[in-house]
Amino acid sequence: MIFNPEYECMEGETRKKLQLAALKNLVETVYSKVPFYRKKIEETKITPKDIHSLKDIEKLPFTTKDDLRDNYPHGLRACPQDRIVEVHMSTGTTGKPVVNEYTNIDLDIWRQGMARTLAGAGCTSDDIVQNCYRYGLFTGGLGVHYGSLTIGAEVLPMSSGLTERQLMILRDFGSTMLTCTPSYALYLAEEAAEAGIDLRALPINKGCFGAEAWSENMRTQIESRYNMKAYDIYGLTEIIGPGVGFECEAQNGLHINEDMFYPEVIDPDTGKVLPAGKKGELVFTTLTREGTPLLRYRTRDITFLIEEPCKCGRTTRRIHRLFGRTDDMLIIRGVNIFPSQIEHSLIEIEGTEPQYLIIINRGDNHLDEVELQVEVKKDLFSDETKVLESLRDRIEQTMKNKLQISLKVKLVEPKTIERSIGKAKRVIDNRRI
């Protein structure tokens, strides 16, 4: 379902004219109203009058998460305080919160972006959306909530946690759509199996999952356990929250709401803009935001742009599903590794559960030592020891072939690795302690 064909299916040159007009207005606004940006733009030796084409966006300075933290709480606000009607923020694990302030127009943008996102997964006014993203300062819960209301769907604002109640509501209310992190969707499936609930027999048939990188194999696991279609969605608090990008029924890249957010992919080391198809760091400019608009925000997410037409009929550019983040990348004995690479390889191995933990220590010889804890299916622990040893050897060999490093595999029983109701914790790096 295409929620807003006028913008989602807009002819390319028409969209570019719209984007350029919005970019010029944005640069003029932040130059005149945000001292931080005025200083940054002046340092580049340009003025708003130097923006004549979309290509000129490359002349503008980048914005980083450190910039947002340094300007906490209101240093990036671009409108009077009396126009701000809602605030969200994300702290991550360290540092000051990253603040995002919304005007009513910003909330309209958010509602529209999330309505397109949910509609891309097939959501209509006939659906019952069980929303398990956390409500509050985190953007996930309210983002899905606003989008569901805009579509006219019935929304169950469950938030995260209380898994037993989640399953009861899922069954008793006949929820047809699930929204949460992919790792929590698998956790719910595990708990449902323990409770004797057959998720495949319930009305639920689709879900929107995001807030963490997940592999195609993990999608297969979710779709199999629920008998649903599982769609990837993309967003981040700094830009607006969820609603920046979404998969359609083709499940072949995430469409960017380009009338709202202008995407670039850059070389993370040089800052040079890369052509479509080249993997790099994703950058966004918020073309229409009023409260806290951002120029060329470096997301740290790794992906590439897709310009080929999509069979769904939308004409917006897409991004490939995330490979990971530049700050999630692990450098182990000189080799660059993303946790998602391990997940992708692991789920292909029969006998394992989609739960794992990477523990990195510095050995006595000053070399990195990596232990990969992997949950094994319950029935395997009742088999002979040689069966487990064979599985462990197979995992170690697979990882060596795929990642080009050796690591120690420890097989653990189901539910041994701690579960999370939010983003899954996959890495413990003791080298940083």
Side-chain angles (χ1 to χ4, degrees):
M1 172 184 169
I2 299 178
F3 184 77
N4 191 329
E6 178 184 359
Y7 287 97
E8 295 181 71
C9 303
M10 183 177 286
E11 190 271 329
E13 289 305 313
T14 303
R15 178 179 291 115
K16 288 178 181 179
K17 290 178 182 178
L18 187 73
Q19 290 172 324
L20 179 57
L23 178 63
K24 288 180 176 180
N25 180 70
L26 170 65
V27 176
E28 183 63 52
T29 297
V30 298
Y31 186 81
S32 61
K33 297 183 178 180
V34 183
F36 165 78
Y37 274 125
R38 185 182 187 94
K39 182 175 183 293
K40 291 269 281 190
I41 291 172
E42 287 178 343
E43 288 172 353
T44 65
K45 309 299 183 183
I46 66 170
T47 70
K49 292 183 173 57
D50 294 315
I51 305 300
H52 304 293
S53 68
L54 288 175
K55 176 74 174 173
D56 290 334
I57 197 171
E58 298 177 29
K59 300 176 182 178
L60 296 170
F62 292 112
T63 308
T64 67
K65 181 168 283 190
D66 284 342
D67 293 330
L68 273 61
R69 287 175 171 151
D70 291 344
N71 283 277
Y72 170 89
H74 306 303
L76 294 178
R77 184 192 290 163
C79 68
Q81 187 276 329
D82 62 5
R83 295 197 57 213
I84 301 298
V85 296
E86 188 165 314
V87 175
H88 288 273
M89 62 184 73
S90 172
T91 60
T93 55
T94 60
K96 291 182 180 179
V98 169
V99 176
N100 194 348
E101 303 183 85
Y102 300 70
T103 66
N104 274 315
I105 287 178
D106 292 333
L107 291 183
D108 286 341
I109 293 168
W110 198 12
R111 293 183 187 104
Q112 175 68 210
M114 274 310 300
R116 298 179 194 178
T117 295
L118 297 174
C123 183
T124 71
S125 58
D126 294 326
D127 278 295
I128 301 172
V129 180
Q130 184 153 332
N131 184 16
C132 305
Y133 284 113
R134 190 171 73 250
Y135 282 67
L137 291 174
F138 174 66
T139 54
L142 278 173
V144 171
H145 194 99
Y146 290 151
S148 301
L149 295 181
T150 302
I151 286 176
E154 178 182 340
V155 59
L156 301 171
M158 297 296 297
S159 196
S160 55
L162 300 174
T163 300
E164 185 176 339
R165 176 177 286 187
Q166 297 276 11
L167 293 172
M168 179 184 74
I169 298 299
L170 191 68
R171 179 187 58 203
D172 296 346
F173 279 71
S175 303
T176 58
M177 185 174 203
L178 180 67
T179 59
C180 58
T181 62
S183 54
Y184 188 61
L186 285 175
Y187 176 59
L188 277 176
E190 289 178 348
E191 294 300 301
E194 288 286 331
I197 299 172
D198 183 5
L199 294 174
R200 296 174 60 84
L202 299 182
I204 190 163
N205 55 40
K206 52 188 167 289
C208 280
F209 307 105
E212 61 187 19
W214 53 303
S215 67
E216 193 66 31
N217 288 331
M218 196 169 183
R219 187 212 299 271
T220 301
Q221 290 272 343
I222 293 172
E223 292 187 336
S224 173
R225 296 187 186 198
Y226 286 84
N227 192 28
M228 66 155 63
K229 293 288 285 183
Y231 295 90
D232 197 4
I233 64 174
Y234 178 79
L236 57 167
T237 300
E238 298 92 319
I239 300 300
I240 203 164
V244 177
F246 61 92
E247 282 187 321
C248 64
E249 62 268 25
Q251 294 179 313
N252 183 26
L254 291 89
H255 290 271
I256 299 300
N257 287 313
E258 285 196 86
D259 53 313
M260 308 171 184
F261 315 106
Y262 188 83
E264 302 171 86
V265 172
I266 65 168
D267 182 312
D269 296 321
T270 66
K272 181 181 178 182
V273 175
L274 300 175
K278 293 291 185 180
K279 188 190 300 185
E281 180 181 354
L282 185 60
V283 171
F284 275 112
T285 295
T286 60
L287 294 174
T288 52
R289 288 293 311 277
E290 288 190 333
T292 47
L294 298 180
L295 292 178
R296 306 190 78 197
Y297 180 72
R298 296 186 61 160
T299 67
R300 298 184 178 178
D301 291 320
I302 302 299
T303 186
F304 60 81
L305 283 170
I306 303 170
E307 293 186 342
E308 290 77 19
C310 183
K311 65 181 182 181
C312 73
R314 293 174 178 85
T315 56
T316 49
R317 286 182 292 175
R318 289 164 286 154
I319 57 170
H320 187 277
R321 297 181 72 197
L322 301 184
F323 295 97
R325 292 172 55 82
T326 57
D327 51 354
D328 283 344
M329 185 178 73
L330 304 170
I331 303 177
I332 301 172
R333 299 176 214 146
V335 179
N336 297 341
I337 296 171
F338 291 99
S340 57
Q341 291 176 284
I342 292 177
E343 176 186 297
H344 183 80
S345 300
L346 196 58
I347 293 180
E348 293 178 341
I349 300 174
E350 184 65 32
T352 64
E353 295 284 357
Q355 301 292 342
Y356 64 95
L357 182 65
I358 305 162
I359 302 174
I360 310 171
N361 293 295
R362 189 79 74 189
D364 294 336
N365 56 3
H366 303 292
L367 295 177
D368 298 333
E369 296 178 350
V370 185
E371 179 180 275
L372 174 61
Q373 295 186 4
V374 181
E375 287 191 8
V376 176
K377 292 188 181 298
K378 193 174 183 179
D379 56 350
L380 283 184
F381 267 92
S382 61
D383 290 336
E384 297 179 15
T385 303
K386 65 180 181 181
V387 175
L388 291 175
E389 290 177 348
S390 176
L391 176 60
R392 185 192 61 219
D393 292 344
R394 191 160 74 250
I395 295 172
E396 289 182 348
Q397 189 60 48
T398 297
M399 295 301 162
K400 186 174 182 179
N401 292 340
K402 296 285 183 70
L403 307 178
Q404 306 304 309
I405 66 165
S406 298
L407 44 77
K408 179 183 178 182
V409 171
K410 180 180 180 182
L411 302 181
V412 298
E413 295 187 51
K415 295 194 174 182
T416 301
I417 295 173
E418 184 179 356
R419 303 300 196 262
S420 172
I421 60 176
K423 297 183 181 182
K425 183 175 179 60
R426 300 299 195 192
V427 180
I428 297 176
D429 193 344
N430 294 321
R431 298 174 301 177
R432 302 169 185 167
I433 298 175

